[in-house]
Amino acid sequence: MNINELNELKGKALKDLTVSEGYRVVVGAASCGIAAGAKTVLATLQKEADAKGLKNINIVPAGCIGMCVYEPIVEVFAPGQDKVTYINVDAEKAAKIVAEHLAKGNQVPEYMIKDGAVRNLNEIQFYQKQKRVVLKNCGYINPEDINDYIALDGYQALAKVLTTMTSEETVELMKASGLRGRGGAGFPTGMKWSFAAKNVADQKYIICNADEGDPGAFMDRSVLEGDPHAVLEAMAIGGYAIGATKGFLYVRAEYPVAVHRLKIAIKQAKELGLMGKNILGSGFDFDVDIRLGAGAFVCGEETALIASIEGKRGMSRNKPPFPANKGLWGKPTVINNVETLANIPQIYLHGAEWFKSFGTEKSAGTKVFALGGKINNTGLVEIPMGITLREVIYDIGEGCPNGKAFKAVQTGGPSGGCITTADLDTPIDFDNLVAVGSMMGSGGMIVVDEDNCMVDIARFFLDFTVDESCGKCTPCREGTRRMLEILDKITLGKGTPKDLETLDELAANIRLTSLCALGQTAPNPVLSTMKHFKDEYEAHVFDKKCPAGVCQALLSIVITDDCKGCTKCVKVCPVDAITGKVKEKHVIDDSKCIKCGACIDACSFKAIIKK
Amino acid sequence: MQNECKCNCNTADDPRYVELKAYIDSVKGNEGIAMSVLQEAQTIFGYLPLEVQKFISQNIDVPLAELYGVSTFYSQFTLTPRGKHHIGICLGTACYVRGAQKLVDKFVAELKIAVGETTEDGLFTLDATRCLGCCGLAPVIMIDEDVYGKLDDVDAIPGILDKYRG
Ligand SMILES: Cc1cc2nc3c(=O)[nH]c(=O)nc-3n(C[C@H](O)[C@H](O)[C@H](O)COP(=O)(O)O)c2cc1C
Ligand code: FES
């Protein structure tokens, strides 16, 4: 294929995509949509439309539309009209949508948000505050059809780079854009490329890091499932810039849908000559391969990732040498994160200045966050850098459910920290989040409310790092385990004031002496919660109380005046801790009680509570 | 030894070995194939008994010790057979703050096994998993390919398990 043919295909594909008559029906079918039932909805829509013999109806699966609470989501596009969004669709609703909307043109308001008061997702604040660059195509195009991608400028950036720019100019433009890596560290992408470009070698590599290890983040999965070609196109551009002809996508094994769609994408790109030998007649060859992870968080770290692709245990090693000098099989290698890559085609299409028009001076562009936890609107949000956390949590996320009080937001996953109400007006960018004691990380944003215990949250993250430490260096392997033991003690009510000091000391040493960033950042969740929620730690240690009522061992179970003396609880208590006469209020002997909660479940009068 | 293959197989005409050998031949010559061969083997056999690792070692010229190192490093590889149904309780951050620990406790109590173990009848293996990417439906569990979300009520669990007891 040459450029003229690409443009011809684009014209034709665009006609197919922007329906000129009839309807285009899009079903959000990323992993999350599928879990909510998107496959049944897709099948029903198709079956009903076929049964009615409807013409000009194009029903397609797409990636994540973004609002998890409304899944499965169906959006109907018609020429000259605003799209219509149906939410929480099931087979029955799908059939009615076909019978009414697609067959007769009658929209079905009762399946829309607020019974039709909101006709499509663009009308709600959740979307209005967002700026979609990375997620531009996500939830709109069919990720399993390369024509959809080509219709919306797909592979145009690669064509431009290959035919009008030298490798040096390609690197320079990336530098000028100010793009910083979205995988966690925020390292300038153009700089990284220039290091690898300078090296002379018979073979270089570019790797896409799709290991997405942060437990509670799913941006990279959504990009791969919703717009896989954007990542492939960017890898080819990066390959051209640094002089690599071979790329690897390292994808975590837990993402079967992403892998499936990537395989289709690679195959289609190869068939059209957009991957492989002599791409677009430019003489540039580029090939990609997929490698699967096998469940090890540390393999997200670049040197461990390289070891894993080489077929070894995924253990990190000392840097330098940096991968840009000595990477995969000892050759110069660039490793970029999925989201970083997904920005790249548009940067080459619209220019560095365009990209810098979003975001802040030192953090250009947008960032995608996976908003989750105790928040009303869980989902995938892409915001321009520089808007405040408060806007994300209250305007986009609409606060905590059930009127509970917001306590903190955790960013940066197991390497990050908690940000409290005091810092909610911080504009989000790489440097500001570090300044308030957390970090951007890969984009997990988990909200916790008054019902969550911060000591328990710190314990949760540390438990994760202990489990995931590769074991190579002692501070990380042994040190984090000692910290976890202390936190276990504290949550069991056996902590001493000395333990708090030891935690501090261990944290400082592990930070300084661990081999890779996994260990160096592992103490962060503990340090940040100790700083902002000292009172909660002290309540556990001195008063043997868990203020949030989470740590089982520190709770008392008591019987209230609502007790009717039915004796049901006495019968279920496994340790005979409850006494009382029939028809009189019962009492629990706290010294015998093991807090199993069996009595609470058994009580018909809700007269037993945890305190 | 616990890792011994229990199937009395004869590698030459066991179709599973034939399949594995065919896969190895298709990737042989490429660099760093140990992981993908182990992954393929686990798909075929369901787990990685020592016999299978020996077979791979001989066929791809990687020392058994190194293969064993790899298969014990990554959490997705298992050296013991798994239950017929695999239960994965998401312990990602979003699910955890929404009470996934209660689900773990309930499953442990219902199945009378610890996390990582298989029931005696070989029906269920219980695992805690990382984020399943359905945080919007937290807390989430996955049994085989089926995802169950919004499991705020742990009393729903016995009913769910019964579906798989057949
Ligand atoms: C323990 C650990 C885990 C990591 N996990 C990931 C990950 O899952 N995805 C990712 O893109 N980067 C991850 N990183 C960062 C990578 O090492 C690397 O910096 C990144 O992939 C570079 O790409 P970028 O410059 O585009 O951000 C991790 C780093 C550490 C120390
Ligand atoms: S944390 Fe459970 S699905 Fe993401």
Side-chain angles (χ1 to χ4, degrees):
Chain A
M1 168 178 285
N2 60 34
I3 293 199
N4 292 338
E5 286 162 342
L6 178 66
N7 287 334
E8 225 170 87
L9 183 58
K10 177 184 169 182
K12 193 181 150 298
L14 190 60
K15 258 205 210 121
D16 291 341
L17 187 68
T18 46
V19 272
S20 52
E21 54 181 323
Y23 296 100
R24 174 179 161 87
V25 184
V26 171
V27 181
S31 293
C32 40
I34 292 172
K39 281 201 170 151
T40 321
V41 172
L42 265 170
T44 313
L45 288 170
Q46 195 64 59
K47 196 181 85 202
E48 294 290 320
D50 290 346
K52 294 200 160 33
L54 300 181
K55 294 270 173 334
N56 295 319
I57 307 271
N58 189 10
I59 299 166
V60 295
C64 178
I65 295 175
M67 269 200 104
C68 307
V69 271
Y70 291 146
E71 300 276 15
I73 301 175
V74 174
E75 299 204 301
V76 181
F77 296 82
Q81 286 176 21
D82 283 339
K83 70 174 179 184
V84 171
T85 307
Y86 294 111
I87 58 166
N88 303 124
V89 179
D90 53 20
E92 198 182 312
K93 290 183 184 177
K96 182 142 177 222
I97 291 168
V98 174
E100 289 298 320
H101 192 157
L102 303 188
K104 299 187 204 148
N106 301 329
Q107 298 182 4
V108 193
E110 61 266 37
Y111 299 161
M112 300 177 199
I113 300 170
K114 301 202 176 117
D115 285 332
V118 178
R119 298 197 100 76
N120 76 50
L121 287 177
N122 295 337
E123 293 171 13
I124 57 177
Q125 213 175 18
F126 182 82
Y127 285 93
Q128 285 164 353
K129 287 240 167 183
Q130 297 192 42
K131 169 72 208 165
R132 300 210 149 198
V133 174
V134 170
L135 300 179
K136 165 177 91 94
N137 292 337
C138 243
Y140 181 61
I141 66 167
N142 178 354
E144 298 183 9
D145 183 353
I146 192 171
N147 291 312
D148 276 15
Y149 181 68
I150 289 175
L152 301 177
D153 296 332
Y155 290 101
Q156 293 288 337
L158 179 62
K160 181 174 171 182
V161 168
L162 291 184
T163 55
T164 67
M165 295 169 78
T166 63
S167 293
E168 291 77 25
E169 285 165 349
T170 311
V171 173
E172 283 312 311
L173 195 143
M174 187 42 58
K175 275 190 180 166
S177 74
L179 176 66
R180 294 172 66 174
R182 305 298 198 236
F187 192 83
T189 306
M191 199 114 81
K192 199 188 276 188
W193 285 13
S194 74
F195 297 151
K198 273 192 218 114
N199 283 310
V200 182
D202 57 346
Q203 177 73 63
K204 299 182 194 176
Y205 297 101
I206 182 161
I207 298 176
C208 167
N209 187 344
D211 198 43
E212 189 150 77
D214 175 354
F218 54 94
M219 312 74 50
D220 293 349
R221 172 179 64 73
S222 303
V223 170
L224 294 174
E225 289 178 354
D227 199 10
H229 286 286
V231 175
L232 298 181
E233 184 180 1
M235 287 179 75
I237 294 173
Y240 178 72
I242 66 163
T245 53
K246 176 90 202 174
F248 285 98
L249 288 134
Y250 186 85
V251 191
R252 63 194 292 237
E254 290 91 335
Y255 286 176
V257 179
V259 172
H260 175 72
R261 291 190 180 158
L262 274 172
K263 281 188 180 154
I264 295 176
I266 293 172
K267 184 162 165 279
Q268 292 181 344
K270 278 189 180 159
E271 280 165 5
L272 289 182
L274 295 166
M275 276 294 150
K277 292 256 178 278
N278 191 18
I279 297 173
L280 293 167
S282 65
F284 173 63
D285 305 337
F286 189 75
D287 231 325
V288 284
D289 237 336
I290 298 176
R291 288 300 162 94
L292 293 188
F297 170 67
V298 69
C299 287
E301 196 280 334
E302 48 192 20
T303 59
L305 187 154
I306 287 172
S308 186
I309 293 187
E310 289 173 350
K312 304 189 192 124
R313 288 166 81 98
M315 301 226 224
S316 43
R317 62 155 172 82
N318 255 325
K319 292 188 276 190
F322 288 94
N325 299 322
K326 251 176 165 309
L328 190 58
W329 292 299
K331 305 291 182 191
T333 303
V334 158
I335 297 167
N336 280 135
N337 160 268
V338 172
E339 188 186 335
T340 312
L341 290 165
N343 276 292
I344 288 174
Q346 293 183 72
I347 293 178
Y348 285 94
L349 272 183
H350 309 300
E353 288 310 314
W354 168 83
F355 186 68
K356 281 200 289 197
S357 70
F358 318 112
T360 62
E361 196 192 332
K362 291 207 177 118
S363 302
T366 61
K367 178 76 193 88
V368 184
F369 287 100
L371 192 57
K374 301 283 185 63
I375 185 109
N376 277 313
N377 296 337
T378 50
L380 199 63
V381 303
E382 179 173 2
I383 48 143
M385 301 263 196
I387 80 168
T388 65
L389 283 162
R390 188 181 299 281
E391 287 171 275
V392 173
I393 288 159
Y394 288 100
D395 297 344
I396 295 176
E398 294 186 16
C400 301
N402 309 324
K404 295 278 181 182
F406 167 88
K407 191 186 254 181
V409 51
Q410 211 280 346
T411 66
S415 308
C418 290
I419 301 165
T420 61
T421 324
D423 291 319
L424 276 190
D425 291 310
T426 309
I428 298 171
D429 77 3
F430 285 103
D431 312 294
N432 285 341
L433 291 187
V434 172
V436 298
S438 184
M439 62 187 279
M440 182 81 83
S442 56
M445 199 181 259
I446 305 285
V447 176
V448 295
D449 70 7
E450 55 185 314
D451 288 343
N452 292 109
C453 165
M454 298 316 284
V455 185
D456 181 61
I457 300 277
R459 207 201 65 84
F460 165 79
F461 280 116
L462 213 58
D463 188 46
F464 178 87
T465 21
V466 166
D467 215 31
E468 295 294 348
S469 167
C470 78
K472 186 164 172 176
C473 75
T474 318
C476 174
R477 184 186 64 240
E478 298 298 331
T480 53
R481 192 170 285 275
R482 296 291 91 77
M483 285 183 77
L484 179 62
E485 283 165 5
I486 295 179
L487 286 177
D488 275 337
K489 246 176 96 182
I490 295 177
T491 51
L492 287 171
K494 295 181 183 148
T496 63
K498 182 84 180 34
D499 285 332
L500 295 179
E501 282 168 40
T502 315
L503 269 183
D504 255 332
E505 195 183 320
L506 277 168
N509 288 333
I510 294 169
R511 263 186 163 179
L512 280 175
T513 56
S514 292
L515 175 67
C516 82
L518 185 131
Q520 289 157 13
T521 59
N524 287 356
V526 181
L527 289 172
S528 128
T529 47
M530 288 228 288
K531 178 170 166 224
H532 293 298
F533 300 95
K534 186 115 207 158
D535 53 329
E536 288 195 31
Y537 279 85
E538 287 174 351
H540 283 75
V541 171
F542 295 110
D543 313 334
K544 310 291 174 206
K545 286 264 173 260
C546 174
V550 172
C551 300
Q552 293 285 334
L554 300 181
L555 297 175
S556 300
I557 296 183
V558 292
I559 300 180
T560 67
D561 291 341
D562 292 335
C563 175
K564 305 272 186 273
C566 73
T567 75
K568 240 188 192 168
C569 56
V570 179
K571 291 185 194 112
V572 297
C573 179
V575 289
D576 296 330
I578 308 179
T579 49
K581 292 206 184 91
V582 181
K583 296 202 174 148
E584 278 175 29
K585 186 182 158 190
H586 285 40
V587 284
I588 299 175
D589 179 350
D590 205 39
S591 64
K592 281 192 190 163
C593 173
I594 55 166
K595 281 111 186 170
C596 68
C599 52
I600 300 182
D601 295 338
C603 180
S604 321
F605 306 101
K606 295 197 169 37
I608 311 183
I609 55 167
K610 280 186 182 168
K611 227 165 74 172
Chain B
M1 226 187 103
Q2 67 159 8
N3 291 329
E4 211 102 292
C5 177
K6 297 186 181 73
C7 55
N8 292 324
C9 53
N10 181 338
T11 57
D13 43 40
D14 182 328
R16 297 175 300 175
Y17 281 97
V18 175
E19 193 183 342
L20 181 58
K21 183 74 171 58
Y23 177 80
I24 291 173
D25 290 341
S26 76
V27 294
K28 217 166 175 176
N30 296 343
E31 277 181 286
I33 55 170
M35 285 264 293
S36 26
V37 173
L38 286 171
Q39 275 158 342
E40 186 69 20
Q42 179 151 311
T43 314
I44 297 171
F45 289 86
Y47 69 117
L48 296 171
L50 198 61
E51 287 308 312
V52 172
Q53 295 192 52
K54 275 187 195 156
F55 178 84
I56 296 172
S57 164
Q58 284 156 6
N59 280 279
I60 66 171
D61 295 328
V62 171
L64 182 60
E66 201 176 309
L67 271 188
Y68 184 75
V70 172
S71 60
T72 49
F73 182 83
Y74 296 95
S75 63
Q76 295 236 321
F77 293 128
T78 166
L79 305 191
T80 47
R82 298 223 196 168
K84 184 163 168 230
H85 300 292
H86 180 255
I87 304 172
I89 306 174
C90 176
L91 280 191
T93 321
C95 289
Y96 189 75
V97 305
R98 287 218 174 189
Q101 187 59 43
K102 287 197 194 120
L103 291 177
V104 176
D105 297 343
K106 185 73 181 177
F107 273 105
V108 166
E110 280 291 317
L111 298 172
K112 302 189 181 60
I113 49 172
V115 173
E117 291 181 353
T118 301
T119 51
E120 240 168 50
D121 57 7
L123 206 50
F124 296 107
T125 298
L126 182 63
D127 263 329
T129 71
R130 302 291 180 226
C131 177
L132 296 171
C134 312
C135 312
L137 308 174
V140 175
I141 65 161
M142 192 159 170
I143 304 186
D144 302 334
E145 302 282 287
D146 311 328
V147 175
Y148 298 85
K150 300 194 175 153
L151 280 176
D152 295 311
D153 180 14
V154 294
D155 292 331
I157 289 170
I160 294 176
L161 283 176
D162 282 343
K163 283 201 231 167
Y164 296 86
R165 289 197 165 111

